[in-house]
Structures are given as structure tokens and as C-alpha cells.
């Protein structure tokens, strides 16, 4: 009799456990349904407030402006390169490049002796001149370099450079004269030069032939 009673008691406990679990499940579902209704209500409220909502394509990316690279000092670099290209040295030995005939002369490689003869005869009209008298060496070098560069850019072909005979220098040595020879040989714009005739300055001046500038006719300045 006691065994039967124990079996009934066990069944009763099992049934109570099942009922309790079912009640908990019902409560859970009721809470989920309530939460779903609240979420739907919130969605409906949002839709009524802002209108129709369309989902964006998830693959769409915003195009952000790229930060420009730091500016390069191109003009400064060009200026520095130009200065280096135009630099002329006082240490350059020009003696081996000069023709020491009856009148000192110079012609760049590839320039024939007929060019020097024409230059002595002033076949090219002298278009401009610079007088370096009284200038210190550094000032004379800068002035001559600027003068030659500007004359070439303007398309001039023949110019006169007055350097003096050096009679007023210490020991009466023609220091500036020899420096001018060296500086002119180092200038790429210079094709040739000759000592001026007495009427154009004689031993105190040079007649200089420049390269044609880009775009100028070959006979410019003649």
C-alpha cells in the first residue's frame, strides 16, 4: 500500500513540475509578445513622425575629400638650379682656352675661326654694353652674369664688355680683365669674344658673341 502511495506522490510532483514549467513558458511568451508589440508601436510612431524610410545600400561608401599633398617649392628649386647653372668661379683657368694671336680671342668648341674674324670686323652690330669699371670683384661677377643672361633672353647677339686696362689696380695688374675672360668662358650663352678694336675700347674691352636665343632668327642683331 505504501509503495502505491509513493508512486502517486511522485506523479503528483512530476505533474506540478510540468505545470510550473508550462506556466513559466507562457509568461515568457507573453513578455516577448508584449515587447514585440512595444517595438512595433515604436516603429509605427517613428514612421508616422518621419515618413517613409528606405534602407541604404550597405555597399555605398561616403567619398571623403583626399587631403592634398604638401606643396612642393618647385619655383624655389628651379631658382636654385638656375643659380647653380649660372655660377661662375674665380678659380677657373682660362689661359689654355684663349687664342693669343695679335689680339686676344676665344671661341667655343665647334665655332670656326671665321666667326672670330667676323667678330673683329664687327659684322654683328654691338647692341648693348656693360661697364665694370670701379666694381669690386664680387659685384663685377654678379653684374656680368646678370647682363649676359638678360641679353641672351632678349635675343641679343653681340655685346661689349668694358673691363678696363687695369692701370688703376695695385701694381697696375689687370686683375679684373683676366677675371672677365674667365667668367665669360664659363657662361654657356657665350660663343666667342675678341679684344675690341681701338675705336671700341681696345685692350680695355671685349666684343662678345652670344648664342641665338630660342625662337630668334639666326641673323638677329646683325
Amino acid at each position: 500500500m505504501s509503495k502505491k502511495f509513493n508512486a502517486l506522490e511522485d506523479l503528483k510532483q512530476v505533474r506540478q513540475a510540468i505545470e510550473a514549467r508550462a506556466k513559466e513558458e507562457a509568461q515568457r511568451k507573453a513578455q516577448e509578445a508584449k515587447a514585440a508589440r512595444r517595438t512595433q508601436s515604436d516603429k509605427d510612431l517613428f514612421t508616422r513622425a518621419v515618413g517613409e524610410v528606405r534602407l541604404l545600400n550597405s555597399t555605398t561608401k561616403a567619398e571623403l575629400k583626399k587631403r592634398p599633398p604638401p606643396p612642393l617649392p618647385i619655383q624655389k628649386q628651379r631658382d636654385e638650379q638656375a643659380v647653380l647653372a649660372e655660377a661662375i668661379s674665380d678659380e677657373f683657368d682660362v689661359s689654355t682656352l684663349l687664342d693669343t694671336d695679335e689680339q686676344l680671342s676665344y671661341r667655343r668648341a665647334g665655332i670656326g675661326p671665321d666667326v672670330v674674324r667676323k667678330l673683329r670686323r664687327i659684322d654683328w652690330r654691338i647692341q648693348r654694353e656693360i661697364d665694370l669699371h670701379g666694381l669690386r670683384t664680387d659685384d663685377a661677377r654678379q653684374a656680368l652674369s646678370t647682363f649676359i643672361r638678360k641679353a641672351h633672353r632678349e635675343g641679343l647677339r653681340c655685346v661689349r664688355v668694358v673691363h678696363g686696362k687695369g692701370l688703376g689696380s695695385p701694381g697696375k695688374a689687370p686683375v679684373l680683365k683676366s677675371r672677365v675672360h674667365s667668367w665669360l668662358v664659363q657662361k654657356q650663352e657665350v660663343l666667342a669674344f675678341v679684344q675690341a678694336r681701338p675705336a671700341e675700347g681696345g685692350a680695355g674691352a671685349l666684343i662678345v658673341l652670344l648664342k641665338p636665343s630660342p625662337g630668334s632668327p639666326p641673323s638677329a642683331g646683325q
Side-chain angles (χ1 to χ4, degrees), residues 117-129:
R117 289 193 294 269
K118 291 180 180 179
L119 197 56
R120 284 200 178 112
R121 296 196 307 261
I122 313 296
D123 283 10
W124 286 273
R125 178 173 54 87
I126 297 175
Q127 297 168 288
R128 194 167 300 173
E129 75 170 37

Side-chain angles (χ1 to χ4, degrees), residues 97-168:
L97 301 177
L98 300 178
D99 293 330
T100 53
D101 45 15
E102 71 277 5
Q103 288 182 324
L104 176 142
S105 64
Y106 161 79
R107 54 190 172 94
R108 192 172 293 281
I111 301 299
D114 59 316
V115 172
V116 173
R117 289 193 294 269
K118 291 180 180 179
L119 197 56
R120 284 200 178 112
R121 296 196 307 261
I122 313 296
D123 283 10
W124 286 273
R125 178 173 54 87
I126 297 175
Q127 297 168 288
R128 194 167 300 173
E129 75 170 37
I130 182 172
D131 191 344
L132 303 176
H133 270 112
L135 296 181
R136 296 182 304 172
T137 300
D138 290 343
D139 295 335
R141 183 198 307 110
Q142 181 60 44
L144 179 62
S145 181
T146 301
F147 172 76
I148 294 296
R149 181 175 66 251
K150 184 177 179 181
H152 177 256
R153 286 180 177 175
E154 293 180 9
L156 306 185
R157 294 299 312 279
C158 187
V159 297
R160 176 167 49 207
V161 177
V162 180
H163 49 65
K165 299 179 181 180
L167 299 179

Side-chain angles (χ1 to χ4, degrees), residues 2-175:
S2 61
K3 290 182 179 180
K4 184 177 180 180
F5 178 78
N6 289 338
L8 291 174
E9 188 65 27
D10 291 340
L11 289 173
K12 183 178 180 181
Q13 291 177 355
V14 170
R15 184 177 60 187
Q16 289 176 347
I18 293 173
E19 290 175 351
R21 188 176 300 170
K23 185 176 180 181
E24 290 176 358
E25 183 68 17
Q27 290 176 348
R28 184 181 65 77
K29 289 182 177 181
Q31 291 175 351
E32 290 178 352
K34 184 177 180 181
R37 288 194 298 273
R38 186 183 298 114
T39 300
Q40 184 61 42
S41 177
D42 292 341
K43 289 182 179 179
D44 294 342
L45 181 62
F46 178 79
T47 301
R48 288 196 298 269
V50 302
E52 184 181 357
V53 178
R54 181 172 57 86
L55 292 177
L56 294 176
N57 189 345
S58 60
T59 59
T60 303
K61 296 182 180 179
E63 299 231 354
L64 301 179
K65 292 184 178 180
K66 294 183 179 179
R67 180 176 296 179
L72 296 176
I74 296 177
Q75 188 57 50
K76 181 180 179 181
Q77 293 173 359
R78 288 175 178 171
D79 292 342
E80 291 175 349
Q81 291 173 355
V83 169
L84 291 175
E86 295 170 0
I88 48 182
S89 170
D90 292 340
E91 306 302 323
F92 186 82
D93 184 10
V94 70
S95 60
T96 59
L97 301 177
L98 300 178
D99 293 330
T100 53
D101 45 15
E102 71 277 5
Q103 288 182 324
L104 176 142
S105 64
Y106 161 79
R107 54 190 172 94
R108 192 172 293 281
I111 301 299
D114 59 316
V115 172
V116 173
R117 289 193 294 269
K118 291 180 180 179
L119 197 56
R120 284 200 178 112
R121 296 196 307 261
I122 313 296
D123 283 10
W124 286 273
R125 178 173 54 87
I126 297 175
Q127 297 168 288
R128 194 167 300 173
E129 75 170 37
I130 182 172
D131 191 344
L132 303 176
H133 270 112
L135 296 181
R136 296 182 304 172
T137 300
D138 290 343
D139 295 335
R141 183 198 307 110
Q142 181 60 44
L144 179 62
S145 181
T146 301
F147 172 76
I148 294 296
R149 181 175 66 251
K150 184 177 179 181
H152 177 256
R153 286 180 177 175
E154 293 180 9
L156 306 185
R157 294 299 312 279
C158 187
V159 297
R160 176 167 49 207
V161 177
V162 180
H163 49 65
K165 299 179 181 180
L167 299 179
S169 303
K172 298 187 182 299
V175 177

